[in-house]
Amino acid sequence: MEVLKIATAGSVDDGKSTLIGRLLYDTKSLTTDKLEAIEKTSKQKGYDYLDFSLATDGLVAEREQGITIDVAHIYFSTQKKSYIIADTPGHVEYTRNMVTGASTSQAAIILIDARKGVIEQTNRHFFINNLLRVKEVVVAINKMDLVDFSEARYKEIKEDFQKLMGKRDYAEQRITFIPVSALKGDNVVHKSENTPWYDGETLLEHLEGLDLKAVSNIGTPRFPVQYVIRPKTEEHHDFRGFAGKVYGGELSVGDEVVALPSRTKSKIKAIYFYDKECQTASRRSSVTITLEDEINLSRGDMLVKVDDLPTVEKQFTATISWMDSQKLTAGNKYIVQHGVNKVLAKVEAVKHKIAPDYSGVDTTVDALGMNDIAQVSFRLNKPVFYDKFKDHRTNGSFILIDTQTNSTVGAGFIL
Amino acid sequence: MEISSTALDLPLAPKTALLKDTSHVNALENEAIYIFREVAAQFEKPVLLFSGGKDSITLVRLAQKAFWPAKIPFPLMHIDTGHNFPETIAFRDKLVAELGLELIVRNVQDSIDQGKVKEESGRYSSRNSLQTTTLLDAIEEFKFDACIGGARRDEEKARAKERIFSVRDDFGQWDERNQRPELFDMLNGQIELGQNVRVFPISNWTELDVWSYIKEENIEIPSIYFAHKRKVFLRDGLIWSHSDYVYQEEDEEMLEKMVRFRTVGDMSCTAAVYSEATDIEAVVQEIRDSTISERGARIDDKRSEAAMEKRKQQGYF
């Protein structure tokens, strides 16, 4: 069975946690004890209805404040698919957690409160999903029950959103609009009788129908060496295996490969998955590769096919999502973690800050604050072997680590 | 290819796993193997926290796969409350001997004897939360910088918030409001001396995924996971094991019932479930059909809405 990873996005009180709770409830994925706990707590709080957000807001501070602070991962399955939903916070101040959730997702659900329509946060959420090239976006226009299931209101919001779509730069993104009431259950799992004017799919029907191969950004094969396996035992005396995960495409025994950065050529001798030998390793498989020739490879090096080299450079420009309270400034040094490879990087220039409502760029900035998104150029102390993010989601992205605090302070998408 | 069953191998898996078009559980397996290798590469002194339960047994199998044909490059550590099911301890020792692994055991009893923690008393007494002190002391003693655990995000809602690489400060504490963003596949294991990282390779697995994997891989597990006749008593709607370690009122009648365990911790914090499932096929089917969550039978979670979060803040895994 396939697994679909989804990130939710929406402003505070747009009902993200409620929508997920509703999905769980209507697909009968909530176990009796969890449901009883929700019933009990909802009653204690004096609510008229079940507060499904209690199923996902796992931290005390979240329940106290009634908001989502950090990403929760929720799991459920149907006959057709397994789902992992990253329930991400809506507050502007937690945008970094939204980027986190979206980074591993193939689909996103952006919620809009039907009463409020498209607001600045909607722009931001769409922008981030665009930046991260999330292929499949569902715009769930929620709380339809509070606007009397008005078709006119639905169309108005849809038109407002479509204006945003004209400004995006990732045109292959697919957008689907669905009118829902997460609280009452309209068009989430069950078709609503309250929206006779809507003849599209329910949210779950839509998710069930997505073709995962079509929504994944596959790219060309890249094999970063994660760990060198040398057993040094009698039985495997000369074994020297390169353990790693195949990103993009696939690699097969006999393939001619180049090791980066040395550019030494060799051939794939064998591919192991545990004690089984296989002919081909497909993308995302964690295998161990041995080569025909004795070449020196260590963690952070990369095997690629001879006719398909990435860029090997000591500099790049990237879109950065800055996630720390300490500012990023030109001249600062950070550790760039690109896959399993770590290099020291110096910020050459903050080229321009991007307004996440698509209203333009600000070229006068030289520092970035928390949640800013900007184009930044870096100089590196060693070359990295990268692709552009638009061509290769994995090999085109990196994180920035603060050399003093060791925190992950930013995410980068190479241009 | 000829596959030999050496002392290093667990019972051999069926040779069906081709690397093309992987199933959901195979995808999870590949992700977990990747995480194990990151631990070995990024840390100097990792340890695998082993309780003898199904999740940590699954971790051992995944670690074998990650480093084959080399041995697992770190020891196992069990924080023993002294109140474990005897079947679990017997299984633990057998597994370690068969695989030639190094096992470190640290005892909660020692922490009690040293006056560091106080034994609880009364109806709900348990040593479960006392483990934290023993664990933190052991981490300091051995200077472990990464502790690999079998926690899953689907278990409990505070766990659903946890990162795969979860940084703990030099008091072993979890700062749930200030976690490192974890993007794409990139795991940031940079820490200062004294800090440690709790690593959860099976974060994205559900209970059913673990059972399906155990079945698919033919992994041996302790007998208490299968239905058996056991002396129990009933309290608060849960089935408690009768034992010297578990406080039992005189009016709590001892019964003999067909039960099994879905989750295995200490005898004082793990409740049984009624079951007729005596083999792995039946267990998988039972989990598939179940309308109660796994931790519904964890007495330690019933203490309060935030029981797990509080324990984690203090350094529990």
Side-chain angles (χ1 to χ4, degrees):
Chain A
M1 195 157 43
E2 299 176 310
V3 59
L4 178 67
K5 294 189 178 182
I6 308 167
T8 60
S11 195
V12 190
D13 290 335
D14 280 350
K16 292 180 300 297
S17 303
T18 307
L19 181 72
I20 294 169
R22 171 59 69 182
L23 266 174
L24 296 177
Y25 183 70
D26 283 359
T27 55
K28 302 201 167 30
S29 310
L30 271 179
T31 52
T32 314
D33 54 319
K34 284 185 181 161
L35 192 58
E36 278 168 5
I38 291 169
E39 282 168 354
K40 195 175 129 201
T41 313
S42 298
K43 214 172 178 179
Q44 273 172 6
K45 292 192 171 178
Y47 298 156
D48 298 338
Y49 49 82
L50 296 183
D51 181 3
F52 289 122
S53 67
L54 293 167
T56 60
D57 284 341
L59 303 173
V60 173
E62 293 179 321
R63 290 193 294 275
E64 277 171 5
Q65 299 172 39
I67 60 165
T68 306
I69 291 171
D70 208 336
V71 183
H73 294 85
I74 316 292
Y75 306 81
F76 74 100
S77 3
T78 61
Q79 294 292 337
K80 285 190 183 156
K81 277 194 182 82
S82 285
Y83 295 90
I84 302 178
I85 305 184
D87 180 23
T88 65
H91 273 92
V92 183
E93 62 195 281
Y94 298 120
T95 301
R96 59 181 191 156
N97 292 337
M98 220 200 92
V99 176
T100 302
S103 75
T104 50
S105 299
Q106 298 134 324
I109 302 171
I110 297 180
L111 272 97
I112 295 179
D113 184 329
R115 296 167 305 173
K116 296 179 193 158
V118 173
I119 58 172
E120 196 196 315
Q121 274 292 76
T122 317
N123 288 316
R124 189 186 291 266
H125 295 147
F126 184 51
F127 177 81
I128 287 171
N129 277 301
N130 221 272
L131 178 70
L132 269 80
R133 302 183 91 77
V134 177
K135 203 150 196 176
E136 202 53 61
V137 173
V138 179
V139 180
I141 301 174
N142 190 25
K143 305 199 182 182
M144 287 302 293
D145 52 316
L146 299 181
V147 295
D148 298 325
F149 296 98
S150 156
E151 184 184 10
R153 182 65 185 141
Y154 168 76
K155 279 188 167 161
E156 195 182 347
I157 294 170
K158 194 171 158 181
E159 277 164 27
D160 284 348
F161 196 96
Q162 277 162 338
K163 283 179 205 150
L164 281 182
M165 288 159 59
K167 299 183 196 170
R168 69 186 161 161
D169 66 347
Y170 178 41
E172 304 90 87
Q173 196 168 43
R174 237 174 55 141
I175 320 276
T176 310
F177 298 89
I178 305 175
V180 303
S181 165
L183 190 67
K184 303 282 171 72
D186 298 82
N187 294 330
V188 178
V189 172
H190 305 298
K191 242 191 176 68
S192 172
E193 290 175 5
N194 296 313
T195 53
W197 42 265
Y198 173 75
D199 58 4
E201 294 169 311
T202 66
L203 176 62
L204 185 69
E205 280 169 354
H206 177 72
L207 298 175
E208 295 276 84
L210 290 183
D211 177 0
L212 285 185
K213 287 200 182 67
V215 299
S216 305
N217 172 332
I218 294 172
T220 184
R222 302 291 182 230
F223 189 78
V225 175
Q226 208 189 343
Y227 189 79
V228 181
I229 295 179
R230 300 201 61 185
K232 296 183 184 167
T233 56
E234 277 307 317
E235 201 186 342
H236 300 280
H237 197 78
D238 295 319
F239 190 93
R240 206 171 128 78
F242 304 106
K245 194 156 155 178
V246 182
Y247 290 103
E250 52 186 38
L251 292 171
S252 297
V253 172
D255 279 352
E256 281 195 72
V257 288
V258 182
L260 299 171
S262 70
R263 294 179 191 264
T264 319
K265 285 186 190 170
S266 188
K267 263 189 188 167
I268 295 180
K269 184 178 170 190
I271 299 173
Y272 296 91
F273 184 74
Y274 192 30
D275 54 6
K276 290 181 277 293
E277 274 195 67
C278 20
Q279 194 59 35
T280 298
S282 62
R283 70 192 184 90
R284 308 204 73 75
S285 54
S286 291
V287 293
T288 301
I289 289 177
T290 56
L291 297 175
E292 296 275 5
D293 310 281
E294 278 276 324
I295 60 173
N296 188 17
L297 271 179
S298 50
R299 177 173 165 87
D301 294 350
M302 185 183 275
L303 291 174
V304 297
K305 287 194 180 178
V306 279
D307 51 1
D308 194 3
L309 299 188
T311 308
V312 182
E313 271 290 355
K314 283 174 82 171
Q315 58 190 31
F316 55 58
T317 299
T319 305
I320 297 293
S321 166
W322 189 247
M323 302 177 162
D324 202 52
S325 50
Q326 294 231 26
K327 285 187 179 310
L328 171 144
T329 43
N332 276 9
K333 287 193 182 109
Y334 299 97
I335 295 163
V336 160
Q337 184 174 345
H338 172 249
V340 300
N341 202 359
K342 278 182 189 165
V343 297
L344 203 60
K346 190 175 176 184
V347 177
E348 287 236 294
V350 178
K351 295 196 160 175
H352 60 240
K353 200 167 103 175
I354 306 161
D357 61 353
Y358 293 97
S359 63
V361 296
D362 180 353
T363 52
T364 63
V365 289
D366 53 6
L368 299 182
M370 172 90 96
N371 297 319
D372 279 347
I373 291 168
Q375 272 191 23
V376 179
S377 58
F378 294 90
R379 202 158 49 80
L380 316 167
N381 74 332
K382 279 195 303 193
V384 290
F385 335 113
Y386 65 85
D387 294 287
K388 289 176 179 173
F389 182 72
K390 70 179 176 66
D391 300 327
H392 208 290
R393 224 169 131 87
T394 322
N395 204 38
S397 55
F398 61 90
I399 57 173
L400 291 167
I401 300 171
D402 187 299
T403 53
Q404 302 297 312
T405 64
N406 295 320
S407 296
T408 303
V409 289
F413 312 97
I414 301 172
L415 293 164
Chain B
M1 180 195 166
E2 190 68 26
I3 295 180
S4 64
S5 180
T6 65
L8 260 180
D9 296 328
L10 285 169
L12 285 167
K15 283 166 61 178
T16 50
L18 283 173
L19 290 180
K20 283 207 148 195
D21 212 15
T22 47
S23 73
H24 178 38
V25 171
N26 291 131
L28 291 170
E29 179 186 41
N30 279 293
E31 179 182 82
I33 289 171
Y34 169 82
I35 296 165
F36 266 111
R37 289 167 172 172
E38 280 305 287
V39 176
Q42 291 199 42
F43 297 93
E44 280 176 28
K45 278 213 86 177
V47 68
L48 193 154
L49 301 177
F50 185 81
S51 69
K54 65 181 188 312
D55 298 308
S56 53
I57 294 167
T58 299
L59 286 184
V60 172
R61 167 58 62 92
L62 291 164
Q64 277 188 293
K65 291 201 172 188
F67 303 106
W68 185 93
K71 275 197 185 187
I72 299 174
F74 35 77
L76 271 50
M77 180 163 76
H78 184 211
I79 302 300
D80 192 339
T81 61
H83 291 178
N84 284 289
F85 294 92
E87 295 94 327
T88 314
I89 299 298
F91 182 89
R92 175 194 79 185
D93 294 340
K94 183 170 154 258
L95 181 85
V96 166
E98 276 178 9
L99 303 187
L101 299 170
E102 183 192 346
L103 173 74
I104 297 165
V105 180
R106 284 295 174 269
N107 297 296
V108 170
Q109 185 63 50
D110 293 337
S111 304
I112 295 171
D113 294 344
Q114 291 159 13
K116 288 183 171 170
V117 290
K118 194 169 156 281
E119 183 103 71
E120 297 179 351
S121 63
R123 210 170 145 83
Y124 293 99
S125 59
S126 161
R127 284 184 168 184
N128 183 54
S129 63
L130 307 187
Q131 286 180 93
T132 302
T133 301
T134 316
L135 171 67
L136 295 181
D137 282 351
I139 290 171
E140 210 170 301
E141 177 189 349
F142 292 97
K143 303 213 172 351
F144 290 129
D145 51 3
C147 305
I148 305 156
R152 309 186 320 266
R153 286 168 173 159
D154 82 317
E155 276 180 82
E156 204 280 335
K157 55 191 173 185
R159 287 212 158 137
K161 296 274 169 178
E162 181 125 31
R163 301 286 187 258
I164 291 171
F165 270 21
S166 184
V167 180
R168 304 301 169 98
D169 66 16
D170 49 1
F171 293 97
Q173 296 186 317
W174 183 52
D175 182 359
E176 79 286 0
R177 299 193 65 169
N178 195 23
Q179 300 195 70
R180 283 181 187 170
E182 213 155 67
L183 295 124
F184 298 98
D185 272 359
M186 283 171 272
L187 297 167
N188 171 8
Q190 298 224 154
I191 49 168
E192 278 174 48
L193 210 60
Q195 293 180 325
N196 70 83
V197 170
R198 304 294 170 85
V199 181
F200 303 110
I202 58 169
S203 279
N204 286 326
W205 297 45
T206 64
E207 183 190 15
L208 184 59
D209 294 330
V210 171
W211 283 115
S212 307
Y213 189 68
I214 287 170
K215 177 171 170 245
E216 192 179 307
E217 291 280 313
N218 199 15
I219 298 173
E220 207 185 320
I221 48 170
S223 56
I224 51 174
Y225 282 114
F226 300 109
H228 56 287
K229 276 223 158 113
R230 190 170 200 96
K231 286 176 182 162
V232 297
F233 66 96
L234 304 178
R235 181 195 293 165
D236 303 339
L238 296 172
I239 307 162
W240 297 58
S241 289
H242 165 79
S243 129
D244 290 347
Y245 306 135
V246 183
Y247 180 93
Q248 189 175 346
E249 305 272 3
E250 268 177 34
D251 62 347
E252 287 173 324
E253 187 194 350
M254 193 160 77
L255 309 161
E256 199 171 52
K257 295 283 180 191
M258 216 32 194
V259 296
R260 63 174 211 92
F261 294 88
R262 271 174 83 175
T263 166
V264 172
D266 194 277
M267 285 185 93
S268 63
C269 69
T270 313
V273 292
Y274 292 124
S275 174
E276 300 289 329
T278 51
D279 59 28
I280 187 70
E281 276 81 15
V283 167
V284 172
Q285 195 54 46
E286 192 183 280
I287 301 296
R288 224 180 267 282
D289 296 342
S290 175
T291 59
I292 301 288
S293 77
E294 176 184 355
R295 293 198 80 93
R298 281 306 281 250
I299 296 153
D300 39 344
D301 284 354
K302 300 257 165 181
R303 291 189 169 198
S304 84
E305 175 96 29
M308 175 65 84
E309 184 179 347
K310 282 183 189 151
R311 287 201 303 271
K312 285 172 79 69
Q313 284 165 349
Q314 288 155 8
Y316 190 81
F317 48 90

